[in-house]
Amino acid sequence: MTLSVILAASLLGLANALPDRDNPAILKRACPDYVSYASTPHAPYSEGPLRLPYQRPAEACRTFSSPAVEKVIDDITSRLTDKDLAQLFRNAYPNTLDTTIRWHTNGSSSSTKRASTQSGAQWTGTQTFVVTGDINAEWLRDSTNQLTNYQALASKDANLYSLILGAINTQSEFVIQSPYCNAFQPPSLSGIKPENSTQTDKVHPAYEKSFVFECKYELDSLAHFLLLGTEFHENTGSTDFLTDRWYKALQTVLRTIDAQSQPTFDSKNQFVTNAYTFQRQTTLGTETLSLEGVGNPLNSDTGLIRSAFRPSDDATIFGFFIPPNAMMSVQLQKTAKVIKAAGGPDDLVKDLQARGEKLAKAVREHGIVQHPTYGDVYAFEVDGYGSRVLMDDANIPSLLSLPYLGFLDKSDTVYQNTRKMITSKSGNPYYLEGPAFRGIGGPHAGLENAWPMSLLVAAMTSDDDDEILTNINLVRDSSLLGLVHESINVNNIKDYTRPWFSWANSVFAQTILKVAAEKPHLIFGKGAKPYTVQ
């Protein structure tokens, strides 16, 4: 046993033995740093051939707990025939609750009842701050996906209900104040020190560094803000999140996407500077926008919305990035249904529905292009002038994830053509294969690293039993630390990025739960009954 393992075990024992385990200050001193903890295997190991380690922190060190979540863990792991897969699910499903809920308040204390402002934000009522993992900042996209597995339990677990409601309220404040930004600092009321950033950026509109961690404009961030609310409503029937602040955030989203639907040149062919520009001092071309922070020119009359960056946080080549446009079209229409169900303004409902339908039409009109080998396919990015990028990236939203996003059915002919293109080396330059691993990668992690997330999305958008199980097993076999990594070197599975990446673990758990509900025989054995989280 290594010294680091002995030390970690000692600290965990100390944390569990503390007389005041609810005191955050004491726990912070006693509990090991989870980045270091996740990088080291811990007993008890699984009984499968991989002997995967147990990577949950001690109960006293977990950042949130839910009996409903623990029951799902017991239900699933007791049914799984693969003991290594069971261990991976045991670690991954609760990872967000165990490790990333940095701050949550139900608004009952006198300090949170008073309006607390930070760059104009109002931290009143229920609030939740969720970090992505090894970076102490909240990404709108990541936090929404991290919480998605718990949405189905929110109606039966009051604490989970409060947690997700708080996350919606907190995201609302982020969107109101800085709609062009993707990652945010802890709310001032939390008492958590802001995360330092070493980047030198020149961004318009300007932002407050104590409020914002990074300000890359990504259309999917705004779509994910809407998704957090629509998922909450779909699973609980609740409209409690439709507060004045949420409606203000929605109007902010609409103003932002209107501004980002404008072309580079006006009707007189004169250049008009976009409302958002971004420049970073960097040697990486994917970390900044060309043409003094504007990006490549985009044509008018497409009906599409520009996105300066992808969900990988890499810069787009052509700003009309198809996957988040598809996602936004779905979420605008779903948001219309929620507001209608709540008896909200009829004109707003009609506007959101019309926007969503128009955007979906634009995605099909301008996103579908002809490929010499695969026929009609969805392009990754277009510029409205006829130029297009044919590829896919592992991060969600992606072309592979279009059925997962609810934009189309997985049997759709154009989607199936697109799927064949992006899961082949001849059609997608970022489809990577090696002797140890394979999958879709992206510029963010280089030319040798594929992302487990891409295999999981492929499994969730397939009807083929062999493909589903093969992809799940590839992820299992490359998660030797008992957690799902960001990316894996296709030539060496021991060479990975990020031991602790909560979003990837959430997607893995979501995949297992989907298979348990729809194809239980694949993981529970022949004749097994479906298991649905309720």
Side-chain angles (χ1 to χ4, degrees):
M1 183 177 290
T2 65
L3 178 61
S4 61
V5 173
I6 295 172
L7 179 59
S10 299
L11 287 170
L12 290 177
L14 173 61
N16 277 325
L18 286 172
D20 186 5
R21 298 192 306 169
D22 294 327
N23 188 315
I26 295 177
L27 286 182
K28 186 175 181 180
R29 292 194 297 269
C31 295
D33 173 70
Y34 193 73
V35 177
S36 299
Y37 185 77
S39 302
T40 305
H42 304 280
Y45 295 90
S46 64
E47 296 177 359
L50 295 177
R51 297 192 73 244
L52 296 183
Y54 179 78
Q55 296 289 47
R56 297 189 67 182
E59 287 187 31
C61 295
R62 295 172 190 172
T63 56
F64 201 86
S65 62
S66 163
V69 167
E70 298 301 325
K71 183 179 184 302
V72 172
I73 295 171
D74 291 342
D75 288 346
I76 292 292
T77 56
S78 65
R79 287 169 168 80
L80 284 166
T81 57
D82 184 326
K83 300 307 177 184
D84 291 320
L85 205 60
Q87 184 80 310
L88 192 54
F89 183 85
R90 185 178 290 112
N91 294 331
Y93 179 61
N95 188 253
T96 290
L97 298 186
D98 283 355
T99 65
T100 69
I101 310 302
R102 282 289 178 268
W103 178 63
H104 171 69
T105 175
N106 60 16
S108 60
S109 68
S110 59
S111 61
T112 55
K113 286 179 180 178
R114 296 191 302 269
S116 176
T117 61
Q118 178 187 17
S119 293
Q122 296 181 12
W123 307 116
T124 55
T126 307
Q127 301 287 335
T128 306
F129 182 68
V130 185
V131 300
T132 187
D134 55 3
I135 303 174
N136 197 39
E138 176 172 333
W139 269 252
L140 297 179
R141 167 187 59 255
D142 291 41
S143 57
T144 294
N145 284 286
Q146 286 166 247
L147 292 170
T148 193
N149 283 317
Y150 313 128
Q151 294 270 17
L153 297 171
S155 61
K156 65 165 55 176
D157 186 326
N159 288 333
L160 283 179
Y161 183 99
S162 176
L163 183 78
I164 298 172
L165 178 61
I168 299 171
N169 292 340
T170 299
Q171 283 200 9
S172 296
E173 298 302 326
F174 291 152
V175 170
I176 289 169
Q177 303 308 318
S178 296
Y180 286 103
C181 300
N182 58 320
F184 296 86
Q185 301 282 13
S188 56
L189 196 64
S190 70
I192 302 171
K193 184 179 179 181
E195 183 82 357
N196 290 327
S197 175
T198 59
Q199 304 294 346
T200 301
D201 298 338
K202 182 180 179 182
V203 183
H204 181 81
Y207 61 87
E208 173 55 52
K209 289 187 177 180
S210 67
F211 188 81
V212 170
F213 176 74
E214 183 177 65
C215 199
K216 290 179 174 178
Y217 163 60
E218 298 163 1
L219 178 59
D220 78 275
S221 291
L222 299 179
H224 274 99
F225 161 67
L226 298 180
L227 172 61
L228 186 59
T230 59
E231 269 195 327
F232 187 63
H233 173 73
E234 288 168 359
N235 282 279
T236 66
S238 174
T239 56
D240 287 351
F241 65 94
L242 298 182
T243 63
D244 289 343
R245 298 299 285 177
W246 182 88
Y247 273 111
K248 186 170 183 177
L250 174 61
Q251 292 299 331
T252 305
V253 169
L254 298 181
R255 286 196 301 272
T256 302
I257 62 178
D258 283 345
Q260 293 309 308
S261 299
Q262 302 305 310
T264 304
F265 303 98
D266 64 17
S267 59
K268 297 180 180 180
N269 292 322
Q270 296 298 304
F271 167 64
V272 179
T273 302
N274 191 265
Y276 172 85
T277 59
F278 182 98
Q279 289 177 284
R280 171 169 290 177
Q281 291 184 13
T282 178
T283 58
L284 300 174
T286 56
E287 285 295 299
T288 191
L289 295 180
S290 61
L291 297 171
E292 297 183 329
V294 175
N296 288 315
L298 299 176
N299 205 355
S300 60
D301 301 325
T302 63
L304 295 169
I305 307 165
R306 90 168 59 199
S307 185
F309 290 87
R310 302 168 180 169
S312 59
D313 296 338
D314 293 333
T316 54
I317 297 172
F318 299 128
F320 290 146
F321 178 26
I322 295 303
N325 273 272
M327 182 182 184
M328 180 59 82
S329 73
V330 172
Q331 288 307 313
L332 288 169
Q333 294 177 77
K334 285 193 173 187
T335 301
K337 292 180 180 179
V338 174
I339 295 173
K340 183 177 181 179
D346 188 56
D347 57 342
L348 178 59
V349 171
K350 291 178 179 178
D351 179 49
L352 291 170
Q353 184 66 30
R355 283 173 177 269
E357 291 174 355
K358 180 181 178 182
L359 185 54
K361 182 180 179 181
V363 168
R364 294 186 174 95
E365 286 184 354
H366 299 280
I368 298 176
V369 301
Q370 180 69 27
H371 190 283
T373 302
Y374 299 98
D376 284 344
V377 298
Y378 280 97
F380 191 59
E381 296 169 359
V382 299
D383 66 355
Y385 289 102
S387 297
R388 69 271 185 98
V389 175
L390 297 178
M391 58 168 279
D392 202 19
D393 193 298
N395 288 261
I396 303 169
S398 60
L399 292 178
L400 186 62
S401 70
L402 288 176
Y404 170 88
L405 301 173
F407 181 72
L408 45 69
D409 188 86
K410 56 189 170 186
S411 64
D412 180 272
T413 300
V414 178
Y415 172 73
Q416 284 299 320
N417 293 344
T418 306
R419 188 184 180 94
K420 292 174 184 175
M421 176 185 73
I422 60 181
T423 56
S424 69
K425 189 61 180 175
S426 63
N428 179 11
Y430 291 101
Y431 183 78
L432 307 174
E433 291 183 294
F437 195 66
R438 62 173 170 80
I440 298 173
H444 194 72
L447 296 172
E448 292 185 298
N449 281 37
W451 291 52
M453 193 182 299
S454 71
L455 295 175
L456 298 169
V457 172
M460 286 193 285
T461 54
S462 175
D463 280 325
D464 185 276
D465 286 5
D466 290 339
E467 180 184 11
I468 293 169
L469 204 52
T470 296
N471 285 342
I472 289 175
N473 288 343
L474 278 168
V475 175
R476 175 202 63 191
D477 295 347
S478 62
S479 304
L480 298 181
L481 283 176
L483 293 166
V484 182
H485 301 303
E486 178 187 55
S487 71
I488 304 287
N489 189 314
V490 296
N491 300 305
N492 178 11
I493 59 173
K494 294 183 179 180
D495 181 8
Y496 60 84
T497 59
R498 304 179 80 171
W500 175 32
F501 185 37
S502 188
W503 182 14
N505 287 282
S506 176
V507 176
F508 170 79
Q510 190 176 359
T511 305
I512 296 299
L513 291 172
K514 182 176 176 65
V515 174
E518 298 176 3
K519 291 179 175 286
H521 62 280
L522 292 181
I523 56 176
F524 295 156
K526 186 177 180 179
K529 295 181 180 179
Y531 176 86
T532 303
V533 176
Q534 294 178 343

